PDB file of all heavy atoms in Angstrom:
ATOM      1  N   ARG A 297     100.744 105.060  97.955  1.00 92.00           N
ATOM      2  CA  ARG A 297     102.177 105.090  97.645  1.00 92.00           C
ATOM      3  C   ARG A 297     102.980 104.375  98.730  1.00 92.00           C
ATOM      4  O   ARG A 297     103.895 103.593  98.433  1.00 92.00           O
ATOM      5  CB  ARG A 297     102.661 106.537  97.528  1.00 92.00           C
ATOM      6  CG  ARG A 297     102.226 107.256  96.262  1.00 92.00           C
ATOM      7  CD  ARG A 297     102.772 108.677  96.240  1.00 92.00           C
ATOM      8  NE  ARG A 297     104.228 108.698  96.321  1.00 92.00           N
ATOM      9  CZ  ARG A 297     104.941 109.810  96.492  1.00 92.00           C
ATOM     10  NH1 ARG A 297     104.317 110.995  96.595  1.00 92.00           N
ATOM     11  NH2 ARG A 297     106.256 109.759  96.566  1.00 92.00           N
ATOM     12  N   ALA A 298     102.635 104.634  99.995  1.00 91.00           N
ATOM     13  CA  ALA A 298     103.350 103.994 101.098  1.00 91.00           C
ATOM     14  C   ALA A 298     103.134 102.483 101.089  1.00 91.00           C
ATOM     15  O   ALA A 298     104.055 101.711 101.367  1.00 91.00           O
ATOM     16  CB  ALA A 298     102.884 104.589 102.431  1.00 91.00           C
ATOM     17  N   TYR A 299     101.921 102.064 100.732  1.00 92.00           N
ATOM     18  CA  TYR A 299     101.625 100.623 100.697  1.00 92.00           C
ATOM     19  C   TYR A 299     102.416  99.927  99.588  1.00 92.00           C
ATOM     20  O   TYR A 299     102.863  98.790  99.757  1.00 92.00           O
ATOM     21  CB  TYR A 299     100.121 100.419 100.495  1.00 92.00           C
ATOM     22  CG  TYR A 299      99.705  98.968 100.498  1.00 92.00           C
ATOM     23  CD1 TYR A 299      99.677  98.234 101.693  1.00 92.00           C
ATOM     24  CD2 TYR A 299      99.353  98.315  99.323  1.00 92.00           C
ATOM     25  CE1 TYR A 299      99.302  96.903 101.695  1.00 92.00           C
ATOM     26  CE2 TYR A 299      98.982  96.983  99.322  1.00 92.00           C
ATOM     27  CZ  TYR A 299      98.952  96.286 100.516  1.00 92.00           C
ATOM     28  OH  TYR A 299      98.597  94.965 100.515  1.00 92.00           O
ATOM     29  N   ARG A 300     102.605 100.621  98.455  1.00 91.00           N
ATOM     30  CA  ARG A 300     103.408 100.026  97.378  1.00 91.00           C
ATOM     31  C   ARG A 300     104.864  99.844  97.811  1.00 91.00           C
ATOM     32  O   ARG A 300     105.536  98.901  97.382  1.00 91.00           O
ATOM     33  CB  ARG A 300     103.330 100.899  96.118  1.00 91.00           C
ATOM     34  CG  ARG A 300     102.016 100.774  95.370  1.00 91.00           C
ATOM     35  CD  ARG A 300     102.125 101.369  93.978  1.00 91.00           C
ATOM     36  NE  ARG A 300     102.323 102.811  94.002  1.00 91.00           N
ATOM     37  CZ  ARG A 300     101.356 103.703  93.977  1.00 91.00           C
ATOM     38  NH1 ARG A 300     100.092 103.297  93.929  1.00 91.00           N
ATOM     39  NH2 ARG A 300     101.618 105.007  93.993  1.00 91.00           N
ATOM     40  N   LEU A 301     105.356 100.742  98.662  1.00 89.00           N
ATOM     41  CA  LEU A 301     106.733 100.635  99.135  1.00 89.00           C
ATOM     42  C   LEU A 301     106.882  99.563 100.208  1.00 89.00           C
ATOM     43  O   LEU A 301     107.854  98.800 100.211  1.00 89.00           O
ATOM     44  CB  LEU A 301     107.201 101.984  99.710  1.00 89.00           C
ATOM     45  CG  LEU A 301     107.499 103.099  98.713  1.00 89.00           C
ATOM     46  CD1 LEU A 301     107.839 104.380  99.456  1.00 89.00           C
ATOM     47  CD2 LEU A 301     108.651 102.705  97.802  1.00 89.00           C
ATOM     48  N   GLN A 302     105.939  99.512 101.139  1.00 88.00           N
ATOM     49  CA  GLN A 302     106.026  98.587 102.271  1.00 88.00           C
ATOM     50  C   GLN A 302     104.702  97.839 102.438  1.00 88.00           C
ATOM     51  O   GLN A 302     103.918  98.131 103.342  1.00 88.00           O
ATOM     52  CB  GLN A 302     106.364  99.356 103.558  1.00 88.00           C
ATOM     53  CG  GLN A 302     107.722 100.020 103.579  1.00 88.00           C
ATOM     54  CD  GLN A 302     108.838  99.007 103.713  1.00 88.00           C
ATOM     55  OE1 GLN A 302     108.623  97.859 104.083  1.00 88.00           O
ATOM     56  NE2 GLN A 302     110.055  99.438 103.401  1.00 88.00           N
ATOM     57  N   PRO A 303     104.416  96.868 101.592  1.00 88.00           N
ATOM     58  CA  PRO A 303     103.137  96.143 101.708  1.00 88.00           C
ATOM     59  C   PRO A 303     103.026  95.285 102.965  1.00 88.00           C
ATOM     60  O   PRO A 303     101.926  94.896 103.350  1.00 88.00           O
ATOM     61  CB  PRO A 303     103.110  95.276 100.441  1.00 88.00           C
ATOM     62  CG  PRO A 303     104.542  95.127 100.056  1.00 88.00           C
ATOM     63  CD  PRO A 303     105.215  96.408 100.454  1.00 88.00           C
ATOM     64  N   ASP A 304     104.168  94.979 103.599  1.00 87.00           N
ATOM     65  CA  ASP A 304     104.137  94.168 104.815  1.00 87.00           C
ATOM     66  C   ASP A 304     103.967  95.000 106.071  1.00 87.00           C
ATOM     67  O   ASP A 304     103.934  94.447 107.174  1.00 87.00           O
ATOM     68  CB  ASP A 304     105.419  93.340 104.933  1.00 87.00           C
ATOM     69  CG  ASP A 304     105.472  92.225 103.899  1.00 87.00           C
ATOM     70  OD1 ASP A 304     104.393  91.694 103.561  1.00 87.00           O
ATOM     71  OD2 ASP A 304     106.570  91.906 103.422  1.00 87.00           O
ATOM     72  N   SER A 305     103.893  96.307 105.931  1.00 87.00           N
ATOM     73  CA  SER A 305     103.718  97.175 107.094  1.00 87.00           C
ATOM     74  C   SER A 305     102.259  97.141 107.560  1.00 87.00           C
ATOM     75  O   SER A 305     101.349  97.510 106.819  1.00 87.00           O
ATOM     76  CB  SER A 305     104.118  98.616 106.743  1.00 87.00           C
ATOM     77  OG  SER A 305     103.737  99.507 107.764  1.00 87.00           O
ATOM     78  N   GLU A 306     102.048  96.687 108.772  1.00 87.00           N
ATOM     79  CA  GLU A 306     100.684  96.591 109.309  1.00 87.00           C
ATOM     80  C   GLU A 306     100.050  97.965 109.415  1.00 87.00           C
ATOM     81  O   GLU A 306      98.873  98.152 109.117  1.00 87.00           O
ATOM     82  CB  GLU A 306     100.719  95.909 110.680  1.00 87.00           C
ATOM     83  CG  GLU A 306      99.352  95.705 111.305  1.00 87.00           C
ATOM     84  CD  GLU A 306      99.427  94.952 112.620  1.00 87.00           C
ATOM     85  OE1 GLU A 306     100.552  94.637 113.065  1.00 87.00           O
ATOM     86  OE2 GLU A 306      98.374  94.675 113.214  1.00 87.00           O
ATOM     87  N   TRP A 307     100.854  98.948 109.839  1.00 87.00           N
ATOM     88  CA  TRP A 307     100.309 100.299 110.033  1.00 87.00           C
ATOM     89  C   TRP A 307      99.779 100.876 108.729  1.00 87.00           C
ATOM     90  O   TRP A 307      98.662 101.375 108.658  1.00 87.00           O
ATOM     91  CB  TRP A 307     101.401 101.208 110.604  1.00 87.00           C
ATOM     92  CG  TRP A 307     100.974 102.641 110.651  1.00 87.00           C
ATOM     93  CD1 TRP A 307     100.247 103.257 111.617  1.00 87.00           C
ATOM     94  CD2 TRP A 307     101.209 103.633 109.636  1.00 87.00           C
ATOM     95  NE1 TRP A 307     100.030 104.572 111.283  1.00 87.00           N
ATOM     96  CE2 TRP A 307     100.602 104.828 110.083  1.00 87.00           C
ATOM     97  CE3 TRP A 307     101.877 103.621 108.418  1.00 87.00           C
ATOM     98  CZ2 TRP A 307     100.652 106.002 109.342  1.00 87.00           C
ATOM     99  CZ3 TRP A 307     101.926 104.788 107.668  1.00 87.00           C
ATOM    100  CH2 TRP A 307     101.322 105.967 108.147  1.00 87.00           C
ATOM    101  N   VAL A 308     100.594 100.811 107.668  1.00 90.00           N
ATOM    102  CA  VAL A 308     100.181 101.447 106.420  1.00 90.00           C
ATOM    103  C   VAL A 308      99.026 100.682 105.781  1.00 90.00           C
ATOM    104  O   VAL A 308      98.116 101.287 105.186  1.00 90.00           O
ATOM    105  CB  VAL A 308     101.376 101.567 105.453  1.00 90.00           C
ATOM    106  CG1 VAL A 308     101.783 100.231 104.881  1.00 90.00           C
ATOM    107  CG2 VAL A 308     101.051 102.525 104.318  1.00 90.00           C
ATOM    108  N   ALA A 309      99.000  99.352 105.919  1.00 90.00           N
ATOM    109  CA  ALA A 309      97.912  98.573 105.338  1.00 90.00           C
ATOM    110  C   ALA A 309      96.588  98.904 106.019  1.00 90.00           C
ATOM    111  O   ALA A 309      95.551  99.060 105.359  1.00 90.00           O
ATOM    112  CB  ALA A 309      98.216  97.086 105.457  1.00 90.00           C
ATOM    113  N   LYS A 310      96.605  99.029 107.330  1.00 90.00           N
ATOM    114  CA  LYS A 310      95.370  99.349 108.055  1.00 90.00           C
ATOM    115  C   LYS A 310      94.934 100.794 107.791  1.00 90.00           C
ATOM    116  O   LYS A 310      93.731 101.074 107.719  1.00 90.00           O
ATOM    117  CB  LYS A 310      95.563  99.097 109.543  1.00 90.00           C
ATOM    118  CG  LYS A 310      95.670  97.617 109.875  1.00 90.00           C
ATOM    119  CD  LYS A 310      95.709  97.354 111.369  1.00 90.00           C
ATOM    120  CE  LYS A 310      95.687  95.858 111.646  1.00 90.00           C
ATOM    121  NZ  LYS A 310      95.719  95.548 113.086  1.00 90.00           N
ATOM    122  N   ALA A 311      95.904 101.694 107.655  1.00 92.00           N
ATOM    123  CA  ALA A 311      95.558 103.083 107.324  1.00 92.00           C
ATOM    124  C   ALA A 311      94.913 103.148 105.945  1.00 92.00           C
ATOM    125  O   ALA A 311      93.916 103.858 105.742  1.00 92.00           O
ATOM    126  CB  ALA A 311      96.807 103.966 107.375  1.00 92.00           C
ATOM    127  N   LEU A 312      95.463 102.392 104.993  1.00 94.00           N
ATOM    128  CA  LEU A 312      94.892 102.360 103.641  1.00 94.00           C
ATOM    129  C   LEU A 312      93.476 101.791 103.674  1.00 94.00           C
ATOM    130  O   LEU A 312      92.563 102.325 103.027  1.00 94.00           O
ATOM    131  CB  LEU A 312      95.786 101.526 102.721  1.00 94.00           C
ATOM    132  CG  LEU A 312      95.276 101.319 101.285  1.00 94.00           C
ATOM    133  CD1 LEU A 312      95.116 102.652 100.573  1.00 94.00           C
ATOM    134  CD2 LEU A 312      96.224 100.406 100.512  1.00 94.00           C
ATOM    135  N   PHE A 313      93.283 100.733 104.440  1.00 94.00           N
ATOM    136  CA  PHE A 313      91.948 100.124 104.538  1.00 94.00           C
ATOM    137  C   PHE A 313      90.939 101.122 105.109  1.00 94.00           C
ATOM    138  O   PHE A 313      89.831 101.281 104.570  1.00 94.00           O
ATOM    139  CB  PHE A 313      92.016  98.874 105.417  1.00 94.00           C
ATOM    140  CG  PHE A 313      90.682  98.212 105.640  1.00 94.00           C
ATOM    141  CD1 PHE A 313      90.154  97.338 104.702  1.00 94.00           C
ATOM    142  CD2 PHE A 313      89.954  98.465 106.795  1.00 94.00           C
ATOM    143  CE1 PHE A 313      88.922  96.736 104.903  1.00 94.00           C
ATOM    144  CE2 PHE A 313      88.726  97.870 107.015  1.00 94.00           C
ATOM    145  CZ  PHE A 313      88.207  97.002 106.058  1.00 94.00           C
ATOM    146  N   ASP A 314      91.296 101.799 106.195  1.00 92.00           N
ATOM    147  CA  ASP A 314      90.382 102.770 106.815  1.00 92.00           C
ATOM    148  C   ASP A 314      90.029 103.899 105.854  1.00 92.00           C
ATOM    149  O   ASP A 314      88.871 104.350 105.795  1.00 92.00           O
ATOM    150  CB  ASP A 314      91.007 103.346 108.095  1.00 92.00           C
ATOM    151  CG  ASP A 314      91.084 102.324 109.216  1.00 92.00           C
ATOM    152  OD1 ASP A 314      90.317 101.334 109.165  1.00 92.00           O
ATOM    153  OD2 ASP A 314      91.903 102.504 110.136  1.00 92.00           O
ATOM    154  N   LEU A 315      91.004 104.375 105.100  1.00 94.00           N
ATOM    155  CA  LEU A 315      90.747 105.462 104.157  1.00 94.00           C
ATOM    156  C   LEU A 315      89.867 104.995 103.000  1.00 94.00           C
ATOM    157  O   LEU A 315      89.011 105.745 102.511  1.00 94.00           O
ATOM    158  CB  LEU A 315      92.072 106.014 103.624  1.00 94.00           C
ATOM    159  CG  LEU A 315      92.884 106.836 104.635  1.00 94.00           C
ATOM    160  CD1 LEU A 315      94.311 107.035 104.149  1.00 94.00           C
ATOM    161  CD2 LEU A 315      92.223 108.188 104.889  1.00 94.00           C
ATOM    162  N   GLN A 316      90.061 103.770 102.545  1.00 94.00           N
ATOM    163  CA  GLN A 316      89.207 103.231 101.480  1.00 94.00           C
ATOM    164  C   GLN A 316      87.771 103.069 101.968  1.00 94.00           C
ATOM    165  O   GLN A 316      86.827 103.369 101.234  1.00 94.00           O
ATOM    166  CB  GLN A 316      89.781 101.892 101.003  1.00 94.00           C
ATOM    167  CG  GLN A 316      91.053 102.024 100.190  1.00 94.00           C
ATOM    168  CD  GLN A 316      91.743 100.692  99.952  1.00 94.00           C
ATOM    169  OE1 GLN A 316      91.570  99.742 100.714  1.00 94.00           O
ATOM    170  NE2 GLN A 316      92.533 100.607  98.893  1.00 94.00           N
ATOM    171  N   VAL A 317      87.622 102.604 103.191  1.00 93.00           N
ATOM    172  CA  VAL A 317      86.275 102.480 103.766  1.00 93.00           C
ATOM    173  C   VAL A 317      85.636 103.856 103.906  1.00 93.00           C
ATOM    174  O   VAL A 317      84.460 104.047 103.591  1.00 93.00           O
ATOM    175  CB  VAL A 317      86.346 101.764 105.132  1.00 93.00           C
ATOM    176  CG1 VAL A 317      85.033 101.891 105.879  1.00 93.00           C
ATOM    177  CG2 VAL A 317      86.686 100.283 104.929  1.00 93.00           C
ATOM    178  N   ASP A 318      86.419 104.811 104.373  1.00 91.00           N
ATOM    179  CA  ASP A 318      85.903 106.167 104.561  1.00 91.00           C
ATOM    180  C   ASP A 318      85.442 106.765 103.230  1.00 91.00           C
ATOM    181  O   ASP A 318      84.474 107.517 103.183  1.00 91.00           O
ATOM    182  CB  ASP A 318      86.990 107.047 105.182  1.00 91.00           C
ATOM    183  CG  ASP A 318      86.483 108.424 105.557  1.00 91.00           C
ATOM    184  OD1 ASP A 318      85.592 108.511 106.414  1.00 91.00           O
ATOM    185  OD2 ASP A 318      86.962 109.418 104.978  1.00 91.00           O
ATOM    186  N   ALA A 319      86.122 106.401 102.138  1.00 92.00           N
ATOM    187  CA  ALA A 319      85.757 106.910 100.814  1.00 92.00           C
ATOM    188  C   ALA A 319      84.676 106.077 100.140  1.00 92.00           C
ATOM    189  O   ALA A 319      84.226 106.415  99.043  1.00 92.00           O
ATOM    190  CB  ALA A 319      86.997 106.958  99.920  1.00 92.00           C
ATOM    191  N   GLY A 320      84.249 104.991 100.799  1.00 91.00           N
ATOM    192  CA  GLY A 320      83.223 104.128 100.207  1.00 91.00           C
ATOM    193  C   GLY A 320      83.744 103.276  99.067  1.00 91.00           C
ATOM    194  O   GLY A 320      82.956 102.796  98.253  1.00 91.00           O
ATOM    195  N   LEU A 321      85.058 103.038  99.028  1.00 94.00           N
ATOM    196  CA  LEU A 321      85.657 102.191  97.990  1.00 94.00           C
ATOM    197  C   LEU A 321      85.646 100.746  98.485  1.00 94.00           C
ATOM    198  O   LEU A 321      86.677 100.188  98.890  1.00 94.00           O
ATOM    199  CB  LEU A 321      87.080 102.661  97.675  1.00 94.00           C
ATOM    200  CG  LEU A 321      87.213 104.117  97.216  1.00 94.00           C
ATOM    201  CD1 LEU A 321      88.676 104.519  97.068  1.00 94.00           C
ATOM    202  CD2 LEU A 321      86.469 104.325  95.897  1.00 94.00           C
ATOM    203  N   TRP A 322      84.467 100.137  98.462  1.00 94.00           N
ATOM    204  CA  TRP A 322      84.296  98.821  99.098  1.00 94.00           C
ATOM    205  C   TRP A 322      85.081  97.734  98.382  1.00 94.00           C
ATOM    206  O   TRP A 322      85.636  96.839  99.037  1.00 94.00           O
ATOM    207  CB  TRP A 322      82.811  98.469  99.146  1.00 94.00           C
ATOM    208  CG  TRP A 322      81.962  99.555  99.703  1.00 94.00           C
ATOM    209  CD1 TRP A 322      80.984 100.254  99.066  1.00 94.00           C
ATOM    210  CD2 TRP A 322      82.030 100.098 101.034  1.00 94.00           C
ATOM    211  NE1 TRP A 322      80.441 101.196  99.907  1.00 94.00           N
ATOM    212  CE2 TRP A 322      81.056 101.122 101.121  1.00 94.00           C
ATOM    213  CE3 TRP A 322      82.830  99.835 102.146  1.00 94.00           C
ATOM    214  CZ2 TRP A 322      80.862 101.856 102.271  1.00 94.00           C
ATOM    215  CZ3 TRP A 322      82.630 100.576 103.304  1.00 94.00           C
ATOM    216  CH2 TRP A 322      81.654 101.570 103.361  1.00 94.00           C
ATOM    217  N   LEU A 323      85.159  97.805  97.067  1.00 93.00           N
ATOM    218  CA  LEU A 323      85.906  96.787  96.331  1.00 93.00           C
ATOM    219  C   LEU A 323      87.400  96.893  96.623  1.00 93.00           C
ATOM    220  O   LEU A 323      88.077  95.883  96.864  1.00 93.00           O
ATOM    221  CB  LEU A 323      85.642  96.935  94.829  1.00 93.00           C
ATOM    222  CG  LEU A 323      86.247  95.854  93.926  1.00 93.00           C
ATOM    223  CD1 LEU A 323      85.719  94.472  94.311  1.00 93.00           C
ATOM    224  CD2 LEU A 323      85.941  96.150  92.460  1.00 93.00           C
ATOM    225  N   ASP A 324      87.928  98.124  96.612  1.00 94.00           N
ATOM    226  CA  ASP A 324      89.345  98.326  96.936  1.00 94.00           C
ATOM    227  C   ASP A 324      89.640  97.899  98.365  1.00 94.00           C
ATOM    228  O   ASP A 324      90.679  97.286  98.645  1.00 94.00           O
ATOM    229  CB  ASP A 324      89.726  99.799  96.750  1.00 94.00           C
ATOM    230  CG  ASP A 324      89.698 100.222  95.284  1.00 94.00           C
ATOM    231  OD1 ASP A 324      89.554  99.335  94.420  1.00 94.00           O
ATOM    232  OD2 ASP A 324      89.796 101.430  95.013  1.00 94.00           O
ATOM    233  N   ALA A 325      88.736  98.243  99.275  1.00 94.00           N
ATOM    234  CA  ALA A 325      88.922  97.856 100.677  1.00 94.00           C
ATOM    235  C   ALA A 325      88.922  96.338 100.816  1.00 94.00           C
ATOM    236  O   ALA A 325      89.653  95.777 101.638  1.00 94.00           O
ATOM    237  CB  ALA A 325      87.829  98.475 101.546  1.00 94.00           C
ATOM    238  N   GLY A 326      88.106  95.668  99.991  1.00 93.00           N
ATOM    239  CA  GLY A 326      88.088  94.208 100.022  1.00 93.00           C
ATOM    240  C   GLY A 326      89.416  93.617  99.586  1.00 93.00           C
ATOM    241  O   GLY A 326      89.902  92.638 100.163  1.00 93.00           O
ATOM    242  N   VAL A 327      90.034  94.202  98.561  1.00 93.00           N
ATOM    243  CA  VAL A 327      91.346  93.737  98.091  1.00 93.00           C
ATOM    244  C   VAL A 327      92.393  93.936  99.193  1.00 93.00           C
ATOM    245  O   VAL A 327      93.210  93.050  99.475  1.00 93.00           O
ATOM    246  CB  VAL A 327      91.757  94.485  96.810  1.00 93.00           C
ATOM    247  CG1 VAL A 327      93.192  94.130  96.425  1.00 93.00           C
ATOM    248  CG2 VAL A 327      90.804  94.155  95.677  1.00 93.00           C
ATOM    249  N   THR A 328      92.366  95.108  99.833  1.00 93.00           N
ATOM    250  CA  THR A 328      93.310  95.374 100.918  1.00 93.00           C
ATOM    251  C   THR A 328      93.086  94.419 102.081  1.00 93.00           C
ATOM    252  O   THR A 328      94.044  93.927 102.693  1.00 93.00           O
ATOM    253  CB  THR A 328      93.162  96.831 101.398  1.00 93.00           C
ATOM    254  OG1 THR A 328      93.349  97.725 100.299  1.00 93.00           O
ATOM    255  CG2 THR A 328      94.184  97.159 102.470  1.00 93.00           C
ATOM    256  N   ASN A 329      91.818  94.143 102.393  1.00 93.00           N
ATOM    257  CA  ASN A 329      91.507  93.201 103.468  1.00 93.00           C
ATOM    258  C   ASN A 329      92.059  91.805 103.153  1.00 93.00           C
ATOM    259  O   ASN A 329      92.615  91.132 104.030  1.00 93.00           O
ATOM    260  CB  ASN A 329      89.993  93.145 103.663  1.00 93.00           C
ATOM    261  CG  ASN A 329      89.583  92.198 104.769  1.00 93.00           C
ATOM    262  OD1 ASN A 329      89.811  92.459 105.942  1.00 93.00           O
ATOM    263  ND2 ASN A 329      88.975  91.085 104.401  1.00 93.00           N
ATOM    264  N   ASP A 330      91.926  91.379 101.908  1.00 92.00           N
ATOM    265  CA  ASP A 330      92.467  90.075 101.510  1.00 92.00           C
ATOM    266  C   ASP A 330      93.990  90.058 101.637  1.00 92.00           C
ATOM    267  O   ASP A 330      94.576  89.038 102.043  1.00 92.00           O
ATOM    268  CB  ASP A 330      92.066  89.756 100.066  1.00 92.00           C
ATOM    269  CG  ASP A 330      90.570  89.505  99.920  1.00 92.00           C
ATOM    270  OD1 ASP A 330      89.909  89.253 100.957  1.00 92.00           O
ATOM    271  OD2 ASP A 330      90.064  89.576  98.784  1.00 92.00           O
ATOM    272  N   GLU A 331      94.628  91.179 101.300  1.00 91.00           N
ATOM    273  CA  GLU A 331      96.081  91.256 101.431  1.00 91.00           C
ATOM    274  C   GLU A 331      96.501  91.196 102.901  1.00 91.00           C
ATOM    275  O   GLU A 331      97.497  90.543 103.255  1.00 91.00           O
ATOM    276  CB  GLU A 331      96.600  92.549 100.801  1.00 91.00           C
ATOM    277  CG  GLU A 331      96.648  92.524  99.287  1.00 91.00           C
ATOM    278  CD  GLU A 331      97.688  91.536  98.786  1.00 91.00           C
ATOM    279  OE1 GLU A 331      98.872  91.652  99.163  1.00 91.00           O
ATOM    280  OE2 GLU A 331      97.310  90.615  98.032  1.00 91.00           O
ATOM    281  N   LEU A 332      95.748  91.866 103.768  1.00 90.00           N
ATOM    282  CA  LEU A 332      96.039  91.816 105.204  1.00 90.00           C
ATOM    283  C   LEU A 332      95.955  90.382 105.722  1.00 90.00           C
ATOM    284  O   LEU A 332      96.790  89.943 106.523  1.00 90.00           O
ATOM    285  CB  LEU A 332      95.059  92.709 105.972  1.00 90.00           C
ATOM    286  CG  LEU A 332      95.335  94.217 105.921  1.00 90.00           C
ATOM    287  CD1 LEU A 332      94.130  94.982 106.446  1.00 90.00           C
ATOM    288  CD2 LEU A 332      96.560  94.554 106.748  1.00 90.00           C
ATOM    289  N   ALA A 333      94.940  89.656 105.266  1.00 91.00           N
ATOM    290  CA  ALA A 333      94.777  88.266 105.699  1.00 91.00           C
ATOM    291  C   ALA A 333      95.894  87.394 105.119  1.00 91.00           C
ATOM    292  O   ALA A 333      96.444  86.531 105.827  1.00 91.00           O
ATOM    293  CB  ALA A 333      93.412  87.746 105.272  1.00 91.00           C
ATOM    294  N   ARG A 334      96.241  87.614 103.851  1.00 90.00           N
ATOM    295  CA  ARG A 334      97.269  86.791 103.215  1.00 90.00           C
ATOM    296  C   ARG A 334      98.630  86.992 103.860  1.00 90.00           C
ATOM    297  O   ARG A 334      99.410  86.037 103.995  1.00 90.00           O
ATOM    298  CB  ARG A 334      97.349  87.128 101.725  1.00 90.00           C
ATOM    299  CG  ARG A 334      98.253  86.216 100.930  1.00 90.00           C
ATOM    300  CD  ARG A 334      98.204  86.544  99.445  1.00 90.00           C
ATOM    301  NE  ARG A 334      98.748  87.850  99.166  1.00 90.00           N
ATOM    302  CZ  ARG A 334     100.055  88.100  99.014  1.00 90.00           C
ATOM    303  NH1 ARG A 334     100.936  87.119  99.141  1.00 90.00           N
ATOM    304  NH2 ARG A 334     100.482  89.319  98.735  1.00 90.00           N
ATOM    305  N   ARG A 335      98.922  88.204 104.280  1.00 88.00           N
ATOM    306  CA  ARG A 335     100.197  88.492 104.920  1.00 88.00           C
ATOM    307  C   ARG A 335     100.152  88.266 106.429  1.00 88.00           C
ATOM    308  O   ARG A 335     101.085  88.633 107.148  1.00 88.00           O
ATOM    309  CB  ARG A 335     100.614  89.941 104.629  1.00 88.00           C
ATOM    310  CG  ARG A 335     100.831  90.224 103.158  1.00 88.00           C
ATOM    311  CD  ARG A 335     101.189  91.673 102.896  1.00 88.00           C
ATOM    312  NE  ARG A 335     101.243  91.971 101.468  1.00 88.00           N
ATOM    313  CZ  ARG A 335     102.295  91.731 100.703  1.00 88.00           C
ATOM    314  NH1 ARG A 335     103.378  91.201 101.243  1.00 88.00           N
ATOM    315  NH2 ARG A 335     102.269  92.010  99.407  1.00 88.00           N
ATOM    316  N   ARG A 336      99.050  87.711 106.908  1.00 88.00           N
ATOM    317  CA  ARG A 336      98.872  87.382 108.330  1.00 88.00           C
ATOM    318  C   ARG A 336      98.969  88.622 109.222  1.00 88.00           C
ATOM    319  O   ARG A 336      99.474  88.561 110.354  1.00 88.00           O
ATOM    320  CB  ARG A 336      99.894  86.331 108.775  1.00 88.00           C
ATOM    321  CG  ARG A 336      99.789  85.027 107.988  1.00 88.00           C
ATOM    322  CD  ARG A 336     100.734  83.975 108.547  1.00 88.00           C
ATOM    323  NE  ARG A 336     100.709  82.754 107.750  1.00 88.00           N
ATOM    324  CZ  ARG A 336      99.796  81.803 107.828  1.00 88.00           C
ATOM    325  NH1 ARG A 336      98.802  81.945 108.717  1.00 88.00           N
ATOM    326  NH2 ARG A 336      99.851  80.724 107.081  1.00 88.00           N
ATOM    327  N   LEU A 337      98.515  89.750 108.703  1.00 86.00           N
ATOM    328  CA  LEU A 337      98.442  90.972 109.498  1.00 86.00           C
ATOM    329  C   LEU A 337      97.070  91.122 110.154  1.00 86.00           C
ATOM    330  O   LEU A 337      96.850  92.077 110.903  1.00 86.00           O
ATOM    331  CB  LEU A 337      98.722  92.189 108.615  1.00 86.00           C
ATOM    332  CG  LEU A 337     100.100  92.225 107.940  1.00 86.00           C
ATOM    333  CD1 LEU A 337     100.232  93.429 107.028  1.00 86.00           C
ATOM    334  CD2 LEU A 337     101.205  92.236 108.988  1.00 86.00           C
ATOM    335  N   LEU A 338      96.165  90.204 109.868  1.00 88.00           N
ATOM    336  CA  LEU A 338      94.802  90.235 110.400  1.00 88.00           C
ATOM    337  C   LEU A 338      94.358  88.799 110.637  1.00 88.00           C
ATOM    338  O   LEU A 338      94.570  87.939 109.782  1.00 88.00           O
ATOM    339  CB  LEU A 338      93.872  90.924 109.396  1.00 88.00           C
ATOM    340  CG  LEU A 338      92.528  91.453 109.893  1.00 88.00           C
ATOM    341  CD1 LEU A 338      92.746  92.593 110.884  1.00 88.00           C
ATOM    342  CD2 LEU A 338      91.689  91.938 108.723  1.00 88.00           C
TER     343      LEU A 338
END
């Protein structure tokens, strides 16, 4: 929910990525990783 509100927030994007990895959602984590790279947050 926080990522939908503020997709440019580095903190929330990285928190979402860590939680997806922790849950084993590798495909979702890959999408988030691509978004981090596209927004130059990584």
Side-chain angles (χ1 to χ4, degrees):
R297 286 181 58 189
Y299 182 73
R300 285 194 294 269
L301 287 176
Q302 295 288 344
D304 289 327
S305 170
E306 182 176 3
W307 172 84
V308 72
K310 290 186 175 180
L312 176 60
F313 177 83
D314 290 339
L315 288 166
Q316 288 169 336
V317 168
D318 187 63
L321 302 174
W322 310 116
L323 186 59
D324 292 351
V327 173
T328 304
N329 181 70
D330 292 343
E331 284 293 304
L332 282 167
R334 187 176 66 83
R335 298 178 187 277
R336 300 185 184 279
L337 299 177
L338 199 66

